[in-house]
Every structure is written in C-alpha cells, then in structure tokens.
Amino acid sequence: MTEEWVNVLFVKLQAKLHAEAERVKSDIPFIPIGGHYRDLMMPGGLCWWCNGFWPGMLWQMNHASGDEIYRTYAAAVDERLVPLLDEPGKLDHDIGFLFILSALAEYNVTGNEAAKNNVIKAADILASRFRRNGGFIEAWNPGTIPGTDTSGMMIADCMMNLSLLYRASEITGNKSYAEIASAHADTAMRYLVRPDGSAAHIARVNPENGELTEYPSGQGFAPESAWSRGQGWILYGFTNAWKHTGKKEYLETAKRSAHYCISALAVNDWLPAVDFRAPQDGRMDSTAGMIIASGLLELADAVKNEELGEHECELYRSAAIKLLKACDEKFDNWSTETDGIVTNGSLRYHDDRMYGASIIYGDYYLTEAVLKLKDLYLSVW
Ligand code: GLY
C-alpha cells in the first residue's frame, strides 16, 4: 500500500519538476509569486542562503532519472554561484547550504575537478568562521541582520552546514575540517539541545571561553519554545554528524530530537505547526515537515544496522511516511502549470509575510524524502 503511494508520488514529482525545469531553467527560485518563480527575488541576490536548493533538486533528479535537462540547468546554476567564493565577506555560515547542494552535489554526480575545488574553497570559508576558544561556528557577520547584535551567535540550522566540513575532510584527507565540525556539534549538543529532545534556535556563546551568555529570540515563538524547522535542522544535522563520525552521543541526540518531533506531530494529525511549543493558532510550517520527514528517513537508515535497529528503523520510517502523507493530502500542489509544490510554508513564527506559500527548501526536502523511499537518493549531507 505504502509502496504504491510512493510510486504515485514519484510520478507526480517527476512530472512537476520536469515542467518546472523547462520553465525555470537556470533562474534561481525561492517562492512563487502569482504561481510562478522569479529569478533571485530576495534582496540578498546571489548571496541568499536558499540559492542552492534549486540546483540541489536538479542534481537529485538527474541522479534519479538520468534526464539531462536537470543536469544542464543544475550545472548552469552552479556556475552562477561560483563567484560568491571570491566574496567571503558577503557570506555567512549558510555557505554550507549554498555549496553542499551545488558544487558538492555536482562533484558527487560528475567527479568534476573544478566542482571539487569549489567544495574545498567553500569549506575553507566556513572553517574561517570557527571560534576556536569558544568551540563554535559563528552564524552571522556584524550587520547581517539589521538592528540585531549577532556576535557570538550559534544556531540550530548550522548543524546542516557541518556536512560541508565533514565532506571536505573525506575528499582531502585533511582531518581539521571534521574536527571543527565535531567541536561545533559538541557545543550545539551542550547548549542548543534540551534534555527532552527539543532545541533552542539560537545560543549566544562567549568566543573567548565558550561560556553560554544567553538564549536570544530566533525564528520561533520564544527563546524557550520549539520552532519546528529548527527541530528538523537538529534532528537531521545530528544524524549526519553521527554518520560522518560514528560518535554515539550524536546518534542519541538525533534520536531524542526525533522522539520529540514525533510526539509533537502525532498529537496534531501529523501536521507540522510553526512552533511545537507555542500558542497553536493553526499556522503550519510545511518546510519543517519536509525536513523532519527526510531527517527521519536518514535516521531510519542510520540505525538499521545497530542493535535492535530494524525495529527502530521502522519506527522512524513509518513516522516519516505518516507525516509525508498528511502533508501531501493538505498542502501539495501537483499542477504542472504552476510553480512550487508544498504550500503552507512559514519563514518564521512572528512574521506572516509570504505565509502559506511553498518555499523552495520545502520542495527540496520533499524531493529528498521521495527519492529516499525509492532508493534513488543522491547522498549529499
Ligand atoms: N536557515 C534559516 C531558516 O531555516 O529559515
């Protein structure tokens, strides 16, 4: 029954993304306006942290289908992103999202040397953000978020960016990238993840001695709440960290995070509220749902060879499928005439601009999840 549902979803995904690729080509989409994407719609232009999700989706689909249309446009978008590597001052920790899903995905598919060099350049830039005495990667540059003092901030989202460092170590044999990634993961485990498996979005840490200073407000309801997308970054990010290091605490942390997410989703018909620990007004963040779903499938794969792993694998896999099914029923737009799939995305709890739209990263993680269920996923994180 599930298999049939996955097959149908895969057929719809192929039709939708093929139509989008023909329309969007090497433009860089984010949110459709009036049903259609525009190139580089956000003020940050090429630097916008989400600009890797479209080529990431195209590389995934090229890997899954062999269709050249995806490869042609993915390579063209990658070319557009490369000049960013010469302007590191304009980039932040999300250089991981940008180059894991472009250069690294390209390298994994093609083995192209230029793409490999771009992965290493990007990893060097990310590593330069490491505050060695504090043991963390600083998220932003002064002035990145107008009116906010971002000094010493480390954030949940960065757990995903660590894969750029782990992969750079694997590619080059230079362990220092992975050491930085694990030092950051250790600090995130200490300060961001709570005993119940929920996580704060942001911690401010003293870069000189690694002491926690405060929990500033982030994209969730409040510093002590549980912004759902942040829970997804933690769950998926610690699963990746475990896969790259084999460090048991990372797997335990990923599982704790998964159990918190599963509980919060199960009491809400498997639909992802914007924040799991906040006044519930019916607003959803479908992007959180897709990240959690793909993260749970990654975790299912991670535990399958552990003791009693086959049972745990089924726990995480079936939760992911329940979540994907619930969101598909309520949110997915499969019309091939308009852009964007998973509607009901949210940028942040206290900001209803563009609320309800499909957001490119929601569609990216849906694509990952479907391809994982079809055994066609290109491993990038
Ligand atoms: N990385 C920022 C976000 O998830 O919105």
Side-chain angles (χ1 to χ4, degrees):
M1 200 54 189
T2 294
E3 295 314 315
E4 185 47 29
W5 172 79
V6 173
N7 290 339
V8 170
L9 203 59
F10 182 53
V11 169
K12 287 193 280 194
L13 185 73
Q14 281 183 300
K16 178 83 182 198
L17 293 185
H18 200 275
E20 278 189 1
E22 283 180 330
R23 270 193 302 272
V24 176
K25 301 184 166 67
S26 57
D27 279 358
I28 302 184
F30 178 48
I31 285 178
I33 305 289
H36 291 286
Y37 286 132
R38 295 181 193 161
D39 190 32
L40 297 178
M41 68 179 276
M42 294 305 273
L46 262 193
C47 301
W48 180 235
W49 74 277
C50 302
N51 291 349
F53 289 105
W54 176 240
M57 226 179 323
L58 296 171
W59 285 119
Q60 290 288 352
M61 291 306 288
N62 173 252
H63 174 75
S65 68
D67 191 330
E68 286 296 310
I69 187 173
Y70 299 119
R71 184 180 175 128
T72 304
Y73 295 133
V77 180
D78 287 5
E79 273 305 307
R80 292 186 67 188
L81 297 179
V82 169
L84 289 175
L85 294 169
D86 294 323
E87 298 190 273
K90 290 190 178 170
L91 298 167
D92 58 34
H93 71 126
D94 282 335
I95 188 170
F97 283 111
L98 282 166
F99 285 92
I100 288 167
L101 294 169
S102 56
L104 179 67
E106 177 170 352
Y107 176 61
N108 286 357
V109 172
T110 64
N112 177 314
E113 271 304 293
K116 177 171 123 181
N117 292 335
N118 290 331
V119 172
I120 297 164
K121 255 183 160 174
D124 285 334
I125 295 171
L126 181 56
S128 74
R129 308 191 67 82
F130 182 55
R131 305 296 171 245
R132 191 161 293 280
N133 295 337
F136 69 98
I137 292 169
E138 193 159 34
W140 295 296
N141 306 328
T144 303
I145 306 178
T148 303
D149 169 17
T150 59
S151 60
M153 284 187 179
M154 63 177 303
I155 75 169
D157 323 27
C158 192
M159 283 307 301
M160 295 300 284
N161 292 322
L162 300 186
S163 291
L164 181 64
L165 300 172
Y166 286 126
R167 298 275 180 173
S169 271
E170 286 154 17
I171 291 170
T172 60
N174 177 350
K175 291 197 178 82
S176 64
Y177 298 110
E179 283 162 8
I180 289 173
S182 293
H184 179 93
D186 290 346
T187 307
M189 201 161 51
R190 185 160 58 233
Y191 292 147
L192 293 176
V193 187
R194 307 179 185 119
D196 69 355
S198 71
H201 183 200
I202 306 180
R204 197 191 305 273
V205 178
N206 184 329
E208 299 311 322
N209 60 18
E211 276 174 16
L212 176 71
T213 321
E214 60 161 340
Y215 287 108
S217 292
Q219 283 163 252
F221 170 66
E224 61 281 4
S225 71
W227 176 53
S228 56
R229 192 155 70 245
Q231 312 311 299
W233 297 140
I234 291 282
L235 154 54
Y236 203 158
F238 275 99
T239 306
N240 297 331
W242 183 75
K243 284 193 145 185
H244 289 292
T245 62
K247 191 168 166 176
K248 253 320 196 228
E249 291 96 319
Y250 295 161
L251 182 61
E252 294 304 325
T253 303
K255 285 164 72 171
R256 225 160 6 108
S257 171
H259 301 162
Y260 180 76
C261 291
I262 291 171
S263 316
L265 290 161
V267 295
N268 202 22
D269 299 326
W270 296 93
L271 294 173
V274 179
D275 193 312
F276 293 144
R277 187 174 287 153
Q280 296 301 322
D281 53 11
R283 284 180 310 138
M284 297 291 148
D285 183 6
S286 60
T287 72
M290 298 304 105
I291 295 159
I292 293 169
S294 190
L296 286 169
L297 292 171
E298 198 68 26
L299 183 57
D301 186 58
V303 297
K304 71 172 188 258
N305 296 322
E306 297 293 290
E307 201 183 335
L308 298 178
E310 68 201 89
H311 306 296
E312 294 204 294
C313 175
E314 193 43 39
L315 168 74
Y316 301 130
R317 191 176 188 278
S318 62
I321 289 171
K322 284 200 165 84
L323 170 55
L324 288 166
K325 278 187 176 167
C327 290
D328 183 40
E329 209 168 281
K330 294 268 184 200
F331 305 145
D332 289 353
N333 161 29
W334 292 115
S335 162
T336 53
E337 304 296 316
T338 53
D339 295 330
I341 303 173
V342 199
T343 67
N344 276 70
S346 156
L347 297 179
R348 50 181 68 227
Y349 188 91
H350 295 291
D351 180 355
D352 272 348
R353 277 174 306 156
M354 299 190 264
Y355 174 73
S358 62
I359 307 178
I360 194 73
Y361 39 84
D363 288 11
Y364 173 79
Y365 287 101
L366 168 70
T367 304
E368 270 198 4
V370 175
L371 297 186
K372 284 176 185 179
L373 290 168
K374 291 284 297 171
D375 279 332
L376 291 170
Y377 168 64
L378 172 75
S379 173
V380 288
W381 298 105

